[in-house]
Amino acid sequence: NDSVVADSRTVHLVLNFVASARRLNADAGLLVIAADAAAQRILQRARVPTFRHAALGDVAGGDYGAYGDRAFVDAMWLKTAAVYAASVLGYDVLFQDADVVWLRPDVWDAVYAPATDSAWMDDGVRTDRFAPFFANSGFYLLRATWRSELLLAHLLNSYSVVISRQSHQAVLNPALAEANAMAGLSVSILDPDVVVNGGARNKVRADLRSGARRVAVFHVNFTGGTAEKREALRGLGLWFLREGCDVAEDAAACLP
């Protein structure tokens, strides 16, 4: 299953992902975790498979102010809880943030390896904070193994640390190292020329111009707020929603 978390501030980015996947006939198995009632309503109107439950909580209201603010950290809880719930039910999960687009129909083939427990996007940053794997928490595959469940339970129980550090990824990477060392969790880092982070967007631009079709996934991290992410995608020709439509009013009409 492919899992995404969305609230009313990021739902247009999720719909853009849905449009990118549908144009490739690659949206089977998608489930969006709605982080508030408004996002749930919009997604259901667009006929996107959606789940929301009061026990998971909602993301705090108001505008996202900055990386690490209350709404941002709330979303990190949902990112962990949603994947844990799917994993313990026996599903392999391909999780991604809202600001991701697919460029090839074979994304699952590009990331899935039966011999590994997990596969992660390369964050691109080489600092001690994300050592030793430098995994990005915005795009990853977790197979339904007891080792993956152990990792996710550790992350759930470490949410107070996520709040303190204001980052899911800064807690994830040491947890990955611990699960790898103590339980044998296998960790693969995906090819950064195939699954591309926002700091390397020129790779995407060059790939699109050449027609090489090497890039399968683009994650618009290292970019400011939702408006900036939308403009970055539009500048690359990767904004797939119809111009001028209002997702709050008629989300289905926004999808091609």
Side-chain angles (χ1 to χ4, degrees):
N1 278 22
D2 181 26
S3 178
V4 190
V5 172
D7 65 17
S8 56
R9 291 154 294 199
T10 60
V11 69
H12 60 294
L13 292 171
V14 171
L15 287 171
N16 188 62
F17 158 68
V18 171
S20 78
R22 283 184 177 175
R23 63 192 275 275
L24 301 167
N25 294 316
D27 60 323
L30 170 66
L31 179 65
V32 180
I33 309 302
D36 56 37
Q40 181 182 33
R41 184 169 56 254
I42 290 167
L43 291 162
Q44 288 177 339
R45 287 174 178 170
R47 298 183 294 281
V48 175
T50 307
F51 178 81
R52 178 170 174 259
H53 195 283
L56 292 175
D58 287 350
V59 171
D63 293 334
Y64 287 120
Y67 176 90
D69 69 9
R70 173 61 187 276
F72 181 90
V73 174
D74 280 354
M76 300 307 103
W77 163 257
L78 285 170
K79 284 176 65 167
T80 306
V83 177
Y84 176 80
S87 182
V88 298
L89 289 171
Y91 291 97
D92 296 341
V93 179
L94 178 60
F95 176 85
Q96 64 179 55
D97 282 348
D99 55 341
V100 169
V101 291
W102 289 9
L103 285 78
R104 286 178 12 201
D106 60 340
V107 170
W108 269 98
D109 293 336
V111 304
Y112 192 86
T116 189
D117 295 306
S118 66
W120 305 80
M121 176 182 151
D122 185 345
D123 187 68
V125 172
R126 297 294 184 263
T127 64
D128 291 345
R129 189 170 183 238
F130 300 143
F133 293 113
F134 310 103
N136 183 277
S137 63
F139 186 87
Y140 63 88
L141 170 75
L142 268 182
R143 293 184 57 239
T145 68
W146 69 267
R147 293 173 293 273
S148 297
E149 187 176 332
L150 186 71
L151 169 69
L152 291 166
H154 183 163
L155 289 171
L156 280 176
N157 289 319
S158 301
Y159 185 62
S160 60
V161 186
V162 175
I163 294 172
S164 174
R165 301 196 67 178
Q166 298 182 310
S167 169
H168 176 269
Q169 190 166 300
V171 178
L172 163 71
N173 274 283
L176 266 182
E178 183 175 322
N180 172 256
M182 296 183 66
L185 178 87
S186 52
V187 179
S188 298
I189 301 301
L190 298 166
D191 187 338
D193 291 329
V194 175
V195 178
V196 180
N197 67 61
R201 69 183 61 176
N202 284 337
K203 289 183 181 179
V204 179
R205 183 175 288 109
D207 187 73
L208 292 170
R209 286 177 176 171
S210 69
R213 296 179 59 83
R214 179 160 169 71
V215 176
V217 174
F218 178 49
H219 180 198
V220 201
N221 59 331
F222 298 114
T223 308
T226 56
E228 290 84 357
K229 292 175 185 291
R230 181 174 59 245
E231 290 309 309
L233 290 167
R234 188 174 278 129
L236 290 167
L238 298 176
W239 189 254
F240 301 107
L241 298 186
R242 292 192 174 97
E243 295 294 339
C245 70
D246 185 342
V247 297
E249 294 297 324
D250 192 353
C254 294
L255 292 170

